[in-house]
Amino acid sequence: STAQRVLDAGCGVGGPALDWAERWPHLQITGVTVSAAQAEIAERRIAQAGQSERVRVCVGDYQALSFEDASFDRAILLESACYCTDVDALAAELFRCMSAGAKLYVKDMFLRDGITLVGTLGCVRPDEVGGQELAEIWRVWGVYRLLNLQEWATALRRAGFFGLRFGPLLDWDESWYVGTLFTLNSDGLRLNELGERFALRLANAPILWGEIHAEK
């Protein structure tokens, strides 16, 4: 296959990028994270995997990218869009840095339709169903402000993207996540250290896992 340049926007410590590099040898992947600590860990993992020629990670804000126009043939955001503080700025930067015909994919947690948000950080009304759970998501995960899928689609269209397809991940399985929060011992299942910090009562949280496909 022809070499393709991939932008991993909000790449964290580089786990998905390394998986892609191993599976598809024609990819050249550039990750961007706002965290210098994450970038250092990612670079170490990349070197250990022998992928330094094909995968690199930069420290930067994905809402103000330092790359030249049309630098990428694919752009992917995996559970990083929820940290965006300006969806229009992010959409415009992604559009600028992508080549003609490039494809965008976003997978993340989105706000359900019909939820009333108040304040800069998007807190829900005190009487809103799921308000306490949503407030806990803000606190634990540090997200700035969740948007719904339609709001994201509208911002991407404003930036110039077309061919948008979006919706909930109907086959999303959270069992893997729940399994990481518990340890089985002689007393049965107990929250482990990770679970103590991140276990959330999500049953009433007004969120959904969704995905967005778009083209430039």
Side-chain angles (χ1 to χ4, degrees), residues 94-137:
L94 291 172
F95 189 84
R96 179 187 67 78
C97 290
M98 293 169 63
S99 60
K103 298 183 185 299
L104 170 69
Y105 178 72
V106 181
K107 188 214 80 172
D108 216 312
M109 177 170 54
F110 297 91
L111 194 67
R112 291 187 182 276
D113 292 335
I115 303 302
T116 305
L117 298 180
V118 296
T120 304
L121 297 182
C123 298
V124 295
R125 291 197 326 246
D127 61 338
E128 195 82 64
V129 173
Q132 292 182 346
E133 288 84 353
L134 194 55
E136 185 71 356
I137 290 173

Side-chain angles (χ1 to χ4, degrees), residues 63 84-93 151-152 154-156 158-159:
Q63 298 169 150
C84 172
T85 60
D86 187 337
V87 64
D88 286 305
L90 174 56
E93 276 296 86
E151 288 172 315
W152 265 97
T154 299
L156 291 171
R158 279 197 296 261

Side-chain angles (χ1 to χ4, degrees), residues 79-213:
E79 299 175 27
S80 61
C82 60
Y83 295 100
C84 172
T85 60
D86 187 337
V87 64
D88 286 305
L90 174 56
E93 276 296 86
L94 291 172
F95 189 84
R96 179 187 67 78
C97 290
M98 293 169 63
S99 60
K103 298 183 185 299
L104 170 69
Y105 178 72
V106 181
K107 188 214 80 172
D108 216 312
M109 177 170 54
F110 297 91
L111 194 67
R112 291 187 182 276
D113 292 335
I115 303 302
T116 305
L117 298 180
V118 296
T120 304
L121 297 182
C123 298
V124 295
R125 291 197 326 246
D127 61 338
E128 195 82 64
V129 173
Q132 292 182 346
E133 288 84 353
L134 194 55
E136 185 71 356
I137 290 173
W138 303 149
R139 184 187 69 81
V140 173
W141 294 107
V143 298
Y144 179 75
R145 183 179 188 270
L146 291 179
L147 300 177
N148 62 42
L149 281 162
Q150 184 61 61
E151 288 172 315
W152 265 97
T154 299
L156 291 171
R157 289 194 186 97
R158 279 197 296 261
F161 287 98
F162 68 96
L164 272 86
R165 294 178 289 115
F166 57 93
L169 285 167
L170 299 178
D171 59 348
W172 179 252
D173 182 3
E174 292 185 341
S175 60
W176 64 270
Y177 168 69
V178 174
T180 65
L181 305 179
F182 292 87
T183 299
L184 179 62
N185 54 35
S186 59
D187 298 325
L189 282 176
R190 293 289 184 273
L191 283 173
N192 56 30
E193 183 178 356
L194 180 67
E196 291 287 350
R197 292 194 62 184
F198 294 109
L200 301 174
R201 295 181 296 110
L202 295 180
N204 292 322
I207 62 171
L208 59 84
W209 287 97
E211 61 181 351
I212 304 172
H213 299 259

Side-chain angles (χ1 to χ4, degrees), residues 10-27:
C11 65
V13 296
L18 285 173
D19 288 342
W20 304 333
E22 182 177 349
R23 183 170 182 179
W24 294 292
H26 62 288
L27 300 183

Side-chain angles (χ1 to χ4, degrees), residues 3-7 70-75 97-99 101-103:
Q4 291 189 341
R5 305 161 297 170
V6 178
L7 172 64
S71 292
F72 300 100
D73 308 304
R74 295 286 187 275
C97 290
M98 293 169 63
S99 60
K103 298 183 185 299

